[in-house]
Amino acid sequence: MKCLPSRPQTGGNPLMRSFGNILRTASLLIGSLAFGTLVAQHEGHDLPASGTVQHGVDAVPAHANEAPDHRASEKFNPGKMIMDHIGDEHGWHLWGHTSLPLPVILFDTERGLKVFSSSRFDHGHATYDGYALIDHTVVAVDPQGHEDETASANIWDISITKNVVSLFVSLGVLLIVFISVAKAYTRRAGQAPTGLQNLVEPIILFVRDDVAKSAIGEHKCMKFMPYLLTAFFFIFLNNLMGLVPFFPGGANLTGNIAITLVLALITFVIVTVNGNKNYWGHILAMPGVPAWVLVILTPVEILGMFLKPFVLMIRLFANITAGHIIALSFFSLIFVFGETNAGAGYGVAIGSLAFTIFMTVLELLVAFIQAYVFTFLSAMYIGAALEEHHEHKESII
Amino acid sequence: MLLASLVEPSFGLIFWMTLSFLAVLFILAKFAWKPILNGLKEREASIADSLNEAKKAREEIAAMNARNEDLMREAREEREVLLKEARDIRDREIATAKERAKAEGDAMLARAREDIRNEKNAAIAEMKNEVAQLSILVAERILKEKLGDPAAQKALVDKVMAEADQRKS
């Protein structure tokens, strides 16, 4: 087992890293708008630190520095525990020291496609074939075990991670459930729904009548129903699966920015492709607005075009992640207090458990609300892109 | 580090998400959402049709009921008319019968009265005759008694003459 160096790094791919930087800056901007200058200044000081310098200090997993036999006596680190739970990992931690190894698939632009089991990394304690796992990220290492940054930039990591497995499981569930429900509709055409049909039909009707029809319009909406329904059930199912603390739930999929990014991107593509003359007219040259105002307004409208899906992405990600963080924080309190005194741990457990249960119940509500909000806003944006008449509506972000 | 790992989308996840989500989207669109939405639409249409038909049937029944009522009312009116006519006819018959009976009675009465009067007249006439004959008989007897002697006759003639003279003057 090679000891891995502690050095600043954030991720494997420069493209993703730059996107992360943009997002970080954007979230700080949003934060500064929301909490005022004090917080913004404070966070502003944090920015370079969290970006580069301090990174090395907390970047290395606790057990990467320590020998494996110290694992059991590791000091409990709630921040790390929470981040491990809401983040992604190669392999799926099931219980104790048992993990489900998952395939690591790397496309190295120099070395070609590499496929091997995540168990080869031994949870970041080992290197394999010139690759190592640092901070849940696969990086290239030289024979001495030091990260080779130029080689790491060549890695496109398309491993089947915990989140990818969760993604496949949820999509599989969606396929099984809705194809079987669809069969019921063709087999029992025109009859009252039974079983699973009963469960999903009210939601389908809700999405159709209260989301699509109200936001897009009676006739135009049918074209977009497949996306709206798939997005709704995908988000709803994964929100719920994220609340299940054990396999195959527990992956924080809808609280992962990559997932919400793709969903928001699909909405953006649908809106942009289906935008009619009226929609583009309102963006590029708002009718009835003097030319000198357009100089300001048009860039704002163009920005808004991208801001809408961006906010869709952030909202879902932030809501679900925040819920997980809060529930896990309450849970962590038990162990934080338990480390100082076992009695205190048990004492706090009562309150913590109550709060965790409360948060989880709240998250059940949020699971539905966020799926609804994402779908409804997507439908609103699509509806705005298809709008024919020349009414000036407030744009909703 | 914590924030970084959170907001940095991993390429692998984007890759798999895009690929698998779009695949599932297309599969579901073709094999699930289409039949489900069509099934819902058909069921809604059939329910709406059934409701419309039920409404139409209800309206038809109501119309039929109204027609029946009309018929009943007409029949009742006709019966009333018929009854009234019958009553009229009966009344008229009774009235004419009464009249005829009365007339006949009257006629009979009149005839009876006539007969009675005739009888009475005849009886009176007979009585008069009887009385006259009796009077004559009595007068004859009295005359025979009183005017048996010529003196008495002469006295009478004188008296009558005197009276006649008195009357003349």
Side-chain angles (χ1 to χ4, degrees):
Chain A
M1 184 191 306
K2 285 192 173 112
C3 194
L4 292 167
S6 62
R7 50 156 311 282
Q9 64 88 37
T10 48
N13 200 280
L15 186 78
M16 294 302 132
R17 207 177 306 168
S18 59
F19 187 84
N21 281 330
I22 296 169
L23 268 184
R24 211 146 45 222
T25 319
S27 55
L28 287 175
L29 274 173
I30 294 165
S32 65
L33 284 174
F35 302 114
T37 31
L38 193 71
V39 181
Q41 277 172 353
H42 171 71
E43 293 226 26
H45 288 305
D46 276 356
L47 180 60
S50 65
T52 50
V53 187
Q54 270 195 345
H55 220 66
V57 181
D58 44 334
V60 180
H63 42 249
N65 279 342
E66 295 163 14
D69 46 309
H70 287 143
R71 272 184 196 168
S73 59
E74 260 171 40
K75 196 162 162 44
F76 178 69
N77 178 352
K80 187 187 171 313
M81 185 278 274
I82 290 171
M83 285 304 145
D84 281 351
H85 268 90
I86 64 176
D88 204 355
E89 58 178 342
H90 292 75
W92 196 317
H93 179 252
L94 296 178
W95 59 80
H97 292 300
T98 315
S99 281
L100 185 72
L102 296 169
V104 174
I105 306 170
L106 303 175
F107 184 74
D108 196 320
T109 44
E110 285 188 356
R111 297 173 60 191
L113 196 68
K114 301 276 177 187
V115 181
F116 52 92
S117 167
S118 68
S119 60
R120 302 275 190 187
F121 286 134
D122 191 22
H123 308 293
H125 302 291
T127 59
Y128 175 78
D129 200 13
Y131 299 107
L133 195 62
I134 299 178
D135 233 6
H136 301 305
T137 310
V138 177
V139 293
V141 287
D142 55 24
Q144 283 74 45
H146 297 289
E147 191 196 336
D148 185 347
E149 272 199 75
T150 46
S152 291
N154 292 330
I155 298 173
W156 295 86
D157 182 1
I158 49 170
S159 306
I160 308 298
T161 58
K162 176 182 168 184
N163 275 342
V164 176
V165 172
S166 184
L167 170 71
F168 289 164
V169 169
S170 62
L171 289 175
V173 169
L174 286 184
L175 281 176
I176 292 167
V177 166
F178 288 105
I179 288 176
S180 73
V181 166
K183 271 188 196 142
Y185 273 99
T186 42
R187 200 178 52 240
R188 304 169 33 86
Q191 292 180 51
T194 53
L196 209 54
Q197 253 183 307
N198 262 333
L199 189 73
V200 294
E201 190 178 303
I203 309 179
I204 293 175
L205 288 176
F206 170 74
V207 172
R208 192 192 64 180
D209 297 337
D210 293 321
V211 175
K213 278 187 184 169
S214 67
I216 302 176
E218 180 86 38
H219 300 293
K220 284 189 244 168
C221 75
M222 291 322 277
K223 189 178 155 194
F224 305 102
M225 281 306 291
Y227 171 63
L228 294 175
L229 283 168
T230 312
F232 183 90
F233 282 105
F234 176 78
I235 295 168
F236 188 42
L237 177 67
N238 279 300
N239 286 351
L240 291 179
M241 274 172 64
L243 294 176
V244 179
F246 44 80
F247 184 85
N252 179 31
L253 198 63
T254 39
N256 189 298
I257 197 104
I259 299 297
T260 60
L261 170 75
V262 174
L263 285 170
L265 205 62
I266 296 172
T267 299
F268 175 72
V269 168
I270 290 174
V271 168
T272 310
V273 166
N274 287 288
N276 59 14
K277 225 166 80 181
N278 187 33
Y279 170 72
W280 290 110
H282 272 71
I283 287 175
L284 299 174
M286 181 79 78
V289 173
W292 64 272
V293 178
L294 281 181
V295 176
I296 309 162
L297 196 58
T298 303
V300 170
E301 285 286 336
I302 290 171
L303 190 66
M305 209 174 102
F306 296 100
L307 214 54
K308 285 172 183 172
F310 185 85
V311 172
L312 270 187
M313 169 182 79
I314 296 290
R315 181 186 296 106
L316 181 57
F317 154 75
N319 270 291
I320 303 306
T321 301
H324 281 239
I325 290 176
I326 294 170
L328 286 166
S329 300
F330 281 125
F331 208 62
S332 298
L333 282 180
I334 301 171
F335 298 98
V336 170
F337 279 88
E339 263 182 353
T340 57
N341 182 327
Y346 285 117
V348 169
I350 300 164
S352 269
L353 219 57
F355 270 112
T356 310
I357 290 168
F358 170 73
M359 277 313 297
T360 307
V361 172
L362 196 67
E363 284 302 298
L364 284 175
L365 195 66
V366 170
F368 182 83
I369 290 171
Q370 287 307 319
Y372 165 64
V373 165
F374 189 96
T375 318
F376 185 71
L377 287 179
S378 290
M380 288 281 293
Y381 299 155
I382 295 170
L386 292 174
E387 208 172 23
E388 287 293 346
H389 48 91
H390 294 264
E391 268 180 347
H392 289 265
K393 275 195 175 174
E394 298 268 325
S395 72
I396 294 166
I397 291 174
Chain B
M1 158 259 170
L2 299 178
L3 187 64
S5 68
L6 260 185
V7 296
E8 218 170 71
S10 74
F11 172 75
L13 204 47
I14 293 180
F15 173 80
W16 287 116
M17 172 65 183
T18 313
L19 211 68
S20 54
F21 185 82
L22 287 180
V24 168
L25 175 60
F26 285 116
I27 294 169
L28 282 182
K30 195 162 163 36
F31 296 109
W33 302 130
K34 209 172 137 194
I36 288 174
L37 290 171
N38 283 343
L40 281 174
K41 205 190 279 173
E42 271 164 30
R43 194 201 304 150
E44 272 162 14
S46 82
I47 288 171
D49 279 354
S50 306
L51 285 177
N52 273 342
E53 266 166 32
K55 198 180 162 205
K56 223 181 283 167
R58 232 181 3 254
E59 276 166 5
E60 251 166 48
I61 286 170
M64 218 186 280
N65 275 345
R67 225 176 15 252
N68 281 350
E69 228 147 82
D70 278 351
L71 279 176
M72 290 273 275
R73 204 180 48 243
E74 270 169 32
R76 223 176 289 129
E77 275 168 9
E78 211 174 290
R79 193 193 62 186
E80 289 292 314
V81 170
L82 282 175
L83 277 176
K84 198 168 172 290
E85 267 172 27
R87 218 178 288 125
D88 284 352
I89 289 169
R90 188 195 63 189
D91 288 351
R92 229 180 8 256
E93 286 292 313
I94 289 170
T96 45
K98 265 185 188 162
E99 251 164 53
R100 209 181 298 135
K102 200 171 170 255
E104 239 162 68
D106 285 352
M108 271 163 77
L109 269 175
R111 241 192 336 272
R113 243 178 239 125
E114 190 77 13
D115 283 352
I116 289 167
R117 202 167 41 246
N118 288 346
E119 290 291 319
K120 199 174 83 186
N121 287 348
I124 288 172
E126 209 172 323
M127 228 153 73
K128 271 180 182 166
N129 281 340
E130 288 284 322
V131 170
Q133 273 170 357
L134 271 174
S135 312
I136 289 167
L137 205 66
V138 168
E140 211 176 59
R141 288 275 175 84
I142 293 169
L143 281 173
K144 269 176 190 165
E145 285 284 321
K146 291 266 182 136
L147 300 172
D149 58 325
Q153 281 171 10
K154 183 136 175 20
L156 187 65
V157 172
D158 285 345
K159 198 183 159 192
V160 172
M161 287 309 274
E163 270 173 20
D165 282 348
Q166 257 178 335
R167 236 179 246 155
K168 258 183 218 165
S169 57

